[in-house]
Amino acid sequence: MSATDGPAADERVTVSDEAVAALVAAAENGGVDFDGLRAVSEGDGYRFETPEMTRAGLTESEFRDACTNHPEYVDNWYFFEGGDRSPADRAFLRWLEDGDAESWDVPTRYDALREGVARSWGQVAVTAMLGAGGRRYELRHEDDLGTPLPDLERHEDPLAARDLVKHDDRGRYRPLKTAPSLPTGWAFVGLDGRACTRALDLIYPATVANWHLEREGDLDVNHWRETMERQSGIYSVIKTWDRGEGYEHVNWVAEACCDDSQCLKRREWGYDDETELDVDGGDGEFPCREPCSLVVAAARKWTRLEGQQPRTYEFELTPGEKEQVEAIIDAVADGRVDDIREADIYEGGNRYRTRFLRAKRMDDTGRLCGVPTDPEEGSEDD
Amino acid sequence: MSQALVIVAHGSHLNPESSTPTYDHADTVREVGAFDEVRVGFWKEEPHFREVLRTVDAEEAYVVPLFISEGYFTEEVIPRELRLEDWDEAAWDSDGTSATSVTLTATDTGQRVHYCGPAGTHDAMTDVIVRRAESVTGDPDVGPGFGLAVVGHGTKRNENSAKAIQYHADRIRERGRFDEVRDLYMDEDPEVDDVTDFFETEDVIVVPLFVADGYHTQEDIPEDMGLTDDYRTGWETPAVVDGHRIWYAGAVGTEALMADVLLERAADAGADVGDAVQRVRELTRVGGESADRDAGAPTADD
């Protein structure tokens, strides 16, 4: 778990005057006990204690010296406890460093930060490191972890994330920010803690907030039924899709839209608060608390389509053609169409193969095997 | 106590440019530093209306809808999705264009939310339309010898939509700056298709009252007015149609001065914005630093 462009290993932490002043104030105001650092103002002076040393009966000046001599402990406390960080951001920045070793003591933590500590948030690799002024963060696509920094487009302003994540690497608009199609080729460098969480909030909006609510046991999950009941206007029709005949249709929706191959959020909503879905909710780090606007928009279309009654059609296909139809559906559903090579006529979804099938099996009006959609008349188009 | 401005807009699943004006105006407000935080939320993008408030640290949030008129979104969708406790559209006591603000609590986050009327019906919007006319002609004094058409969607879906168009057209007419001012519509009379029938002046500026450029403003309206046979080939500005020079401005919502309306909405609701209104007006004037920003974006999907 080390980044390629970490700071020099001999970088020493210096502690800021603000941090020392804040610790003096905190010591006088009830004391501090954080990650091994204990600091308190007692009757006979100040006490400064780490797992390695204890000094008591200090004057304020001696206490300040102790701070300067143990900069990592003071910097560590001030970073997490000294500012006005939101609880969610604080928890996230702690989580970044916890990694597999939640019990890191401060010297170990700082040694790791000198090397760079990387964790993935969706497809973003977040690397915490030490730089001038303390902790600094670097964000890039996890696939770019091995790419030398000069080869990436570097940014320092979190707001740049809005444009960066708008299109995927093929230039297609990404209407769903948590789709696993994050573009590559960029890096945010030198971010402080606030800028780090701000950039992530633009790349994956509200994921840190919801992840934190979940950790605190406060995530407000809204299930399918209540979400669809809430819809109005052109979406109010969706509630009619729930006919009290089970939730198989919602399984299909979740399999279509919410699978890890489509969205990196971990689906926590079910059919209702008593009925989980039968399909996997995914392994993502951050939760999905209700059907999103893409699911709602798609569900409206499916509600209309699923209102149709099945009919029996008779088509004549060779076994190879039947399998080709299946292969085409698979290729489209798995987003592989663009990966099928031009001349790979062994793939059912190959363009030439598909054009041949169309030439042979579809009539001038695009009907499969010339069979009308509506047997009464010509065809019916929704 | 810290205060946040939260701009809520429609956004789009299909058009990448739909959100651009919203982001641009948020940046302008950030630039003048009137709020501790400036956030945007969307109906069709993320963060969704549903989750935008939990990305805001401030306990006091001024929520301004970047919508053109009062109606379904401002009265039903946004308050519901933001979970504004005890919302009642009567609280605005509006005649269709006069909504101001109401202070409520968001039940999921506990924040105090000053929920404001839409940008499009604020009086300052009249100035944005005029500014749009200035920027499309490149003339800060444009007016004499020019006609101005304010174009709206129409009333078929929402009667307040036409009210907002009429309201601003009336206000501009009363100022006497332009020789003629008309309100025109996409899907009802008087129709924008026949724009040249309604003006005596040779020069006519056409400003669509839409938040973002997209299908209506970049395809429909230019073709319907006869600026071009095919929107994909573009059109001249001005374009000559039936002996009139048509200066087609595109969506008013892309005008940089829109940021001023958002600020004024929040200030009217009690936000402390200092001299930010004046600074935004200077920053966004024709030839100003932010005035050249342009944007596009449709809301073809609902």
Side-chain angles (χ1 to χ4, degrees):
Chain A
M1 296 245 284
S2 85
T4 48
D5 304 286
D10 61 351
E11 191 150 354
R12 268 188 60 83
V13 175
T14 54
V15 64
S16 66
D17 293 343
E18 297 82 52
V20 173
L23 189 60
V24 171
E28 289 166 357
N29 190 20
V32 163
D33 183 354
F34 183 74
D35 280 359
L37 171 67
R38 287 160 187 261
V40 66
S41 170
E42 300 168 326
D44 60 346
Y46 294 87
R47 182 183 180 87
F48 186 100
E49 187 180 337
T50 73
E52 295 88 34
M53 53 78 76
T54 302
R55 291 189 65 192
L58 305 175
T59 65
E60 186 183 322
S61 170
E62 289 168 335
F63 181 81
R64 285 173 179 270
D65 287 344
C67 290
T68 312
N69 293 333
H70 298 85
E72 291 177 355
Y73 282 96
V74 179
D75 180 67
N76 186 65
W77 167 79
Y78 188 61
F79 181 80
F80 288 115
E81 304 288 301
D84 56 353
R85 231 178 266 300
S86 76
D89 287 358
R90 179 192 179 283
F92 175 79
L93 295 170
R94 287 286 279 178
W95 173 85
L96 280 179
E97 294 174 21
D98 287 344
D100 304 320
E102 205 148 339
S103 56
W104 273 350
D105 59 25
V106 167
T108 309
R109 185 182 288 266
Y110 274 69
D111 284 346
L113 286 170
R114 282 187 189 87
E115 292 291 320
V117 182
R119 287 197 90 164
S120 285
W121 190 252
Q123 289 180 294
V124 178
V126 185
T127 305
M129 55 184 69
L130 288 180
R135 281 169 175 77
R136 286 293 176 268
Y137 297 87
E138 188 183 289
L139 311 181
R140 50 169 88 180
H141 193 294
E142 57 188 2
D143 292 350
D144 286 331
L145 265 183
T147 307
L149 194 54
D151 294 347
L152 299 173
E153 187 185 314
R154 274 163 293 168
H155 299 274
E156 293 177 4
D157 181 358
L159 291 174
R162 294 179 306 198
D163 280 335
L164 282 179
V165 304
K166 208 176 224 186
H167 298 89
D168 66 15
D169 275 337
R170 290 176 179 167
R172 294 176 302 189
Y173 175 49
R174 301 174 68 240
L176 179 65
K177 294 269 199 340
T178 45
S181 58
L182 192 71
T184 55
W186 50 269
F188 284 93
V189 296
L191 303 180
D192 63 16
R194 183 175 297 277
C196 170
T197 50
R198 186 77 193 98
L200 281 175
D201 198 47
L202 293 165
I203 298 170
Y204 296 134
T207 54
V208 170
N210 284 328
W211 167 86
H212 182 247
L213 286 172
E214 185 181 47
R215 274 166 64 106
E216 299 292 304
D218 292 330
L219 185 67
D220 48 338
V221 173
N222 293 120
H223 299 283
W224 169 275
R225 280 294 303 252
E226 56 195 296
T227 301
M228 299 315 160
E229 290 287 341
R230 196 180 80 229
Q231 302 304 317
S232 58
I234 62 171
Y235 299 108
S236 55
V237 68
I238 302 171
K239 57 178 79 77
T240 68
W241 199 11
D242 299 333
R243 302 190 184 105
E245 298 163 1
Y247 56 91
E248 193 178 28
H249 57 302
V250 187
N251 281 336
W252 295 331
V253 171
E255 183 174 333
C257 302
C258 309
D259 187 81
D260 276 352
S261 66
Q262 307 301 306
C263 178
L264 298 172
K265 286 183 188 170
R266 169 174 30 82
R267 182 178 51 74
E268 288 298 318
W269 52 268
Y271 180 65
D272 56 31
D273 59 9
E274 292 173 350
T275 318
E276 288 185 22
L277 300 183
D278 301 325
V279 297
D280 187 25
D283 301 319
E285 200 66 60
F286 35 80
C288 173
R289 40 164 301 283
E290 70 177 38
C292 69
S293 76
L294 280 152
V295 164
V296 170
R300 173 180 176 241
K301 182 66 180 172
W302 284 318
T303 300
R304 296 194 179 284
L305 291 173
E306 292 296 294
Q308 297 178 351
Q309 292 305 308
R311 287 177 183 168
T312 302
Y313 292 100
E314 201 169 302
F315 300 106
E316 194 160 79
L317 299 174
T318 67
E321 287 166 350
K322 171 185 175 287
E323 289 182 359
Q324 190 190 347
V325 169
E326 291 158 358
I328 291 168
I329 291 171
D330 270 343
V332 173
D334 294 338
R336 287 190 297 106
V337 174
D338 289 342
D339 299 331
I340 297 174
R341 289 168 298 176
E342 192 78 359
D344 189 356
I345 42 88
Y346 299 96
E347 277 276 2
N350 172 267
R351 198 173 72 244
Y352 298 125
R353 283 280 304 279
T354 305
R355 289 177 66 84
F356 181 92
L357 184 69
R358 183 172 69 175
K360 178 182 172 186
R361 289 300 188 191
M362 287 164 77
D363 68 11
D364 295 344
T365 58
R367 297 184 301 195
L368 183 61
C369 300
V371 176
T373 301
D374 186 344
E376 300 293 306
E377 34 180 330
S379 73
E380 176 199 62
D381 199 357
D382 186 0
Chain B
M1 184 177 284
S2 63
Q3 58 178 16
L5 176 68
V6 179
I7 307 168
V8 289
H10 193 286
S12 169
H13 289 159
L14 302 175
N15 183 340
E17 298 308 321
S18 176
S19 56
T20 306
T22 312
Y23 288 142
D24 285 347
H25 304 321
D27 285 348
T28 303
V29 176
R30 272 191 198 100
E31 217 169 316
V32 296
F35 290 87
D36 301 290
E37 297 170 82
V38 181
R39 294 282 185 272
V40 301
F42 298 98
W43 174 232
K44 291 292 186 175
E45 299 180 35
E46 299 149 278
H48 192 268
F49 294 161
R50 202 84 180 134
E51 299 188 344
V52 64
L53 288 176
R54 62 189 63 196
T55 72
V56 174
D57 291 339
E59 287 167 15
E60 198 95 3
Y62 294 84
V63 174
V64 182
L66 185 50
F67 282 77
I68 290 300
S69 52
E70 294 174 26
Y72 174 59
F73 278 100
T74 60
E75 291 168 0
E76 185 171 345
V77 174
I78 297 169
R80 179 189 74 211
E81 300 292 286
L82 292 178
R83 283 165 268 198
L84 300 183
E85 194 168 25
D86 299 327
W87 158 256
D88 179 353
E89 66 177 78
W92 266 348
D93 189 25
S94 173
D95 63 9
T97 60
S98 63
T100 51
S101 74
V102 55
T103 301
L104 301 164
T105 301
T107 55
D108 57 330
T109 64
Q111 284 151 314
R112 238 161 80 92
V113 173
H114 304 275
Y115 180 52
C116 304
T121 57
H122 193 275
D123 279 358
M125 191 69 197
T126 307
D127 297 335
V128 182
I129 298 168
V130 173
R131 179 70 70 80
R132 193 78 191 144
E134 295 171 8
S135 50
V136 73
T137 56
D139 178 2
D141 301 313
V142 68
F146 279 72
L148 176 68
V150 183
V151 179
H153 200 290
T155 64
K156 284 181 184 162
R157 287 167 68 179
N158 172 10
E159 62 170 19
N160 287 339
S161 164
K163 278 189 194 168
I165 313 294
Q166 285 158 4
Y167 181 73
H168 294 299
D170 288 347
R171 280 168 52 87
I172 297 170
R173 191 179 301 111
E174 283 161 18
R175 295 177 182 186
R177 174 168 171 171
F178 295 89
D179 288 7
E180 300 167 64
V181 180
R182 296 294 308 247
D183 51 306
L184 304 178
Y185 303 92
M186 286 187 59
D187 55 11
E188 67 175 76
D189 289 331
E191 282 199 23
V192 67
D193 306 28
D194 311 316
V195 58
T196 54
D197 294 351
F198 300 113
F199 287 90
E200 299 290 325
T201 55
E202 192 175 335
D203 286 289
V204 179
I205 302 166
V206 178
V207 179
L209 216 57
F210 285 76
V211 165
D213 272 319
Y215 174 70
H216 291 314
T217 65
Q218 295 299 303
E219 302 179 23
D220 254 10
I221 297 175
E223 287 184 5
D224 289 351
M225 287 194 302
L227 300 185
T228 177
D229 293 332
D230 181 348
Y231 74 91
R232 286 167 295 194
T233 61
W235 55 88
E236 299 288 319
T237 306
V240 177
V241 178
D242 300 336
H244 293 263
R245 275 193 299 271
I246 305 291
W247 303 76
Y248 180 60
V252 71
T254 64
E255 182 64 34
L257 186 60
M258 274 301 290
D260 165 74
V261 185
L262 302 173
L263 262 180
E264 293 205 35
R265 272 288 185 214
D268 292 350
D272 176 9
V273 302
D275 64 349
V277 168
Q278 189 53 37
R279 289 176 58 207
V280 164
R281 288 192 164 235
E282 284 164 15
L283 204 62
T284 59
R285 72 185 187 279
V286 177
E289 286 174 54
S290 303
D292 296 332
R293 274 190 199 139
D294 211 359
T299 51
D301 55 334
D302 290 299

